Amino acid sequence: MLVEAGDRSVVIEFRQIRTEDTDAFRAAIDRVARERSYLALLEAPPIEQVRAFVKRNVEHGYPQIVAVTDDLVVGWCNVPPASRAVSAHVGDLFMGLIPEYRGKGLGEGLLRHAIEAADAFGFQRIELGVFATNAAAIALYRKAGFVEEGIKRRAILIGDIHHDEIIMARLKP
């Protein structure tokens, strides 16, 4: 995919993450987390934790799509399995884009690739939580077939600001 990034055009590749992407993936998470507006994180987890997460996803073939240009991870959409054995048919979706790559259609591309990978993996349901103030993400998820299932009021506290979290899900057709 060709997108404008500042004063130049760059080619973005959507693909399954590789272990060599770990540092760039963590850097992207950290940038988005430090905005304190989109993720239920204040900063990226420690590199050892991110390495273990990526390694597990790669080894098990869990969907983890990254948007990459010149070895820079500019966005991600991962769908690891839910943590409980009785929910092994459910994938938990997490995604983000670094600021200068938003509004260019990359979120839609990431989400589409991740849903295709999750369906192929065998997940029957994909669920996510999104800040109620993130109208662009909510619209994107709706467009991809997600429906709202509920609201967790004041579920996230960043600094002294509470955020409601909308719970959404998509069932495999």
Side-chain angles (χ1 to χ4, degrees):
M1 176 177 195
L2 189 64
V3 299
E4 296 299 318
D7 58 350
R8 63 189 178 105
S9 295
V10 296
V11 175
I12 303 291
E13 176 187 11
F14 297 110
R15 61 170 170 76
Q16 178 70 16
I17 199 165
R18 301 173 186 147
T19 54
E20 59 266 24
D21 297 320
T22 302
D23 290 340
F25 169 59
R26 183 184 182 278
I29 292 172
D30 197 58
R31 283 204 52 205
V32 177
R34 289 178 186 277
E35 290 180 88
R36 298 184 171 207
S37 298
Y38 304 106
L39 302 179
L41 297 170
L42 301 177
E43 61 186 331
I47 188 62
E48 300 80 21
Q49 188 177 339
V50 176
R51 278 193 188 112
F53 176 75
V54 171
K55 181 179 182 214
R56 180 188 74 147
N57 289 348
V58 169
E59 286 176 353
H60 294 284
Y62 298 150
Q64 185 172 0
I65 306 301
V66 288
V68 180
T69 183
D70 298 324
D71 296 326
L72 176 68
V73 172
V74 300
W76 72 92
C77 188
N78 45 279
V79 190
S83 58
R84 300 180 319 176
V86 295
S87 298
H89 65 290
V90 178
D92 287 328
L93 186 141
F94 305 91
M95 72 179 292
L97 281 166
I98 63 174
E100 57 270 31
Y101 288 88
R102 294 180 190 144
K104 301 174 186 309
L106 294 177
E108 186 172 352
L110 275 167
L111 185 58
R112 182 174 36 81
H113 281 82
I115 288 171
E116 289 170 4
D119 285 350
F121 185 80
F123 288 130
Q124 298 170 25
R125 172 185 167 89
I126 303 171
E127 54 191 32
L128 60 90
V130 59
F131 284 36
T133 54
N134 193 345
I138 294 165
L140 175 64
Y141 297 137
R142 284 183 183 141
K143 183 176 178 182
F146 286 81
V147 297
E148 295 177 22
E149 294 189 331
I151 298 175
K152 293 170 63 176
R153 295 181 16 220
R154 298 175 66 163
I156 299 164
L157 179 62
I158 298 178
D160 60 352
I161 300 172
H162 286 95
H163 298 271
D164 291 348
E165 183 180 26
I166 297 175
I167 305 305
M168 300 181 81
R170 172 197 174 268
L171 300 179
K172 185 176 180 179

